[in-house]
Amino acid sequence: MSQDREPLYIQIQNYFKDLIITRKLVEDDKIPTEKDLMDQFEVSRITVVNALAELAKDGWIYRIPGRGSFIKGIPETHIATSTIIETPVPNRATYRAKIGLVFPFIGDYFAIRLLHGITEMLEASKYSVVVMFTYNSKEMEKEVIRELKNSVDGLIIFPVDAEVYNEEIIALKMQNYPFVLIDRHLPGVETNVVSSDSVQASILAVDHLWSLGHRNIAICSDSPLMTVSVEERIQGYNEALKQKGALINPALILTDFHVNASQGSVNTLFTTSSENHTILNQDHPLYRFIKNRMATAYIALNCALGVHILTIAKQVGLRVPEDISIVTFDNPSPLLDEFSLLTHIDQSEQEIGREAARLLLQVIDNKGKQPSYKKIDLQPSLVIRKTTGQLN
């Protein structure tokens, strides 16, 4: 059935389900008022009430009288029926041996390249691949690991953003279960992990911008939590400035904001008009920071944020790189035209995927033996393109 023929209250339900599944709305985010939803979808109040009631009944949202409706998360019933993708490796007649991949979601080309590297390495092996998504929920990550570990021979885990360890990952270690972490490690806990050297990556970015004459260099993260990789990148930023005898300006370390593309949120950087044009929220702290030219250069800790910064600069009339320079982590898609011109840190994510799969195969082969853990840090590289230039 086409969306146009679906009842309006179901269209509203699906709209919010999509935002929750893609993590554009996360736990405890407040959703728009009934009046706002009536205006947005051009429907009656009873239609909105019915849609919200069904979402609450099914466990997607919760409602507080007098305060409104809030995101609860993805119900377990939905997890059980919609998060498994089984990908057989080509040219094999049977697939009894399996490796499980646990990923937050496929939200950018970083994750796509990781998956490409993993499957490329496993193609010639006896293993097929089972992929399960956690949608960056620690609780879902626990459930996924518990469900997968008894049906596969080993796990490759891309951990969710979280302030504390996932107990299920610690349990895997205690049980000597074969697994490898990618992109981030657990401080103080020895495990097999493959990642890019985040400290060195930030040093490369700062060194490049410093050589171009920039002294007011901001580093930006829109992660709602201070993950290990974010901490290490900020550590590298601080180390690079210290090596140059520069004072650390805390005002240039921008982490106290969140970029949320959902409509109606107080944290929204972008909102969408009825004509589907993108409009910037000028009250957002990042918008104000860039407009007031508080820095001459920006290091964005992910490519989506780098694109946001570039977009804001253009909207406030700043030229890139004549007025400000931008370095972003990770390479945006070459299909994104102007955004493919971003100077960026290449973290070799495809190689991270290959190394993680290679290491896991070794761990599985050595199962039953005394474990010896490896932490593989691949060296990042700086790719200079069109968004960095000499300070005028």
Side-chain angles (χ1 to χ4, degrees):
M1 178 182 295
S2 69
Q3 185 180 28
D4 290 339
R5 296 178 60 188
E6 287 180 341
L8 292 173
Y9 77 94
I10 292 180
Q11 292 183 34
I12 297 172
Q13 290 178 48
N14 289 338
Y15 170 79
F16 281 107
K17 288 177 183 179
D18 287 342
L19 291 178
I20 295 168
I21 288 171
T22 58
R23 304 300 290 172
K24 293 176 181 176
L25 284 176
V26 298
E27 287 79 359
D28 301 322
D29 275 357
K30 186 175 182 179
I31 66 176
T33 66
E34 291 179 0
K35 177 64 168 61
D36 289 339
L37 292 176
M38 290 166 58
D39 293 340
Q40 179 181 341
F41 291 97
E42 298 181 350
V43 296
S44 66
R45 183 175 182 276
I46 190 63
T47 300
V48 171
V49 169
N50 284 337
L52 296 182
E54 287 296 318
L55 288 170
K57 176 184 175 182
D58 294 340
W60 294 87
I61 66 173
Y62 63 94
R63 311 182 75 180
I64 301 177
R67 293 186 57 194
S69 299
F70 301 82
I71 302 303
K72 186 174 183 180
I74 304 173
E76 291 187 6
T77 53
H78 182 84
I79 298 169
T81 59
S82 65
T83 61
I84 302 177
I85 300 176
E86 187 164 334
T87 309
V89 176
N91 303 320
R92 295 283 173 182
T94 60
Y95 305 104
R96 295 182 181 177
K98 296 178 181 178
I99 283 175
L101 308 184
V102 181
F103 267 63
F105 50 83
I106 307 298
D108 54 30
Y109 279 84
F110 181 86
I112 291 172
R113 294 182 188 111
L114 281 175
L115 282 172
H116 186 196
I118 292 169
T119 55
E120 184 179 68
M121 177 54 61
L122 294 177
E123 187 173 343
S125 74
K126 64 181 180 181
Y127 294 97
S128 61
V129 175
V130 178
V131 183
M132 294 189 75
F133 301 118
T134 64
Y135 304 107
N136 213 32
S137 163
K138 191 175 76 167
E139 291 305 314
M140 193 181 298
E141 185 179 76
K142 292 178 183 179
E143 293 294 328
V144 164
I145 291 173
R146 282 196 288 263
E147 181 175 339
L148 268 182
K149 68 180 181 181
N150 295 322
S151 60
V152 299
D153 297 277
L155 291 170
I156 296 176
I157 303 171
F158 188 166
V160 303
D161 296 335
E163 293 178 304
V164 296
Y165 302 154
N166 182 338
E167 299 89 340
E168 288 299 321
I169 296 179
I170 304 299
L172 293 177
K173 173 181 167 66
M174 301 301 294
Q175 297 160 6
N176 291 330
Y177 185 92
F179 75 98
V180 173
L181 302 180
I182 53 176
D183 187 61
R184 54 191 67 145
H185 62 277
L186 307 180
V189 180
E190 196 176 21
T191 61
N192 291 302
V193 58
V194 182
S195 61
S196 179
D197 188 333
S198 294
V199 172
Q200 181 59 29
S202 288
I203 291 174
L204 287 173
V206 172
D207 285 352
H208 172 60
L209 294 168
W210 193 273
S211 71
L212 295 172
H214 295 279
R215 298 297 179 263
N216 292 324
I217 302 171
I219 187 166
C220 310
S221 170
D222 62 343
S223 172
L225 299 171
M226 190 62 73
T227 64
V228 171
S229 57
V230 170
E231 287 182 346
E232 290 181 343
R233 290 168 187 178
I234 292 175
Q235 178 189 341
Y237 167 86
N238 290 336
E239 287 186 9
L241 292 177
K242 288 178 181 177
Q243 290 171 8
K244 297 167 182 9
L247 295 176
I248 306 300
N249 183 355
L252 294 176
I253 301 175
L254 307 177
T255 60
D256 191 21
F257 70 89
H258 179 49
V259 172
N260 185 346
S262 63
Q263 188 170 7
S265 168
V266 295
N267 293 325
T268 300
L269 175 61
F270 293 98
T271 57
T272 305
S273 70
S274 58
E275 292 83 14
N276 293 321
H277 295 301
T278 300
I279 307 170
L280 288 177
N281 182 345
Q282 298 182 13
D283 292 328
H284 194 280
L286 182 60
Y287 182 98
R288 295 196 306 268
F289 196 94
I290 296 171
K291 181 179 180 180
N292 293 330
R293 307 186 73 163
M294 304 297 290
T296 64
Y298 292 81
I299 301 171
L301 295 193
N302 61 70
C303 60
L305 183 55
V307 170
H308 287 324
I309 293 171
L310 178 60
T311 303
I312 293 172
K314 291 187 175 183
Q315 295 239 349
V316 300
L318 295 178
R319 299 168 301 163
V320 179
E322 291 84 358
D323 297 322
I324 66 169
S325 288
I326 302 169
V327 177
T328 182
F329 273 69
D330 310 328
N331 181 18
S333 166
L335 303 177
L336 292 179
D337 300 327
E338 62 179 319
F339 300 138
S340 67
L341 301 178
L342 282 161
T343 296
H344 63 272
I345 298 293
D346 186 346
Q347 298 190 85
S348 304
E349 49 266 38
Q350 194 163 328
E351 185 60 25
I352 290 175
R354 283 193 291 264
E355 285 297 321
R358 181 184 293 113
L359 180 55
L360 182 60
L361 293 177
Q362 294 174 2
V363 173
I364 292 173
D365 288 342
N366 292 329
K367 189 175 181 180
K369 300 179 182 178
Q370 183 66 27
S372 59
Y373 299 104
K374 292 183 180 179
K375 185 176 187 299
I376 301 174
D377 277 328
L378 299 180
Q379 289 303 301
S381 60
L382 177 71
V383 180
I384 301 173
R385 291 193 173 160
K386 301 293 186 181
T387 56
T388 53
Q390 196 75 34
L391 180 63
N392 293 328

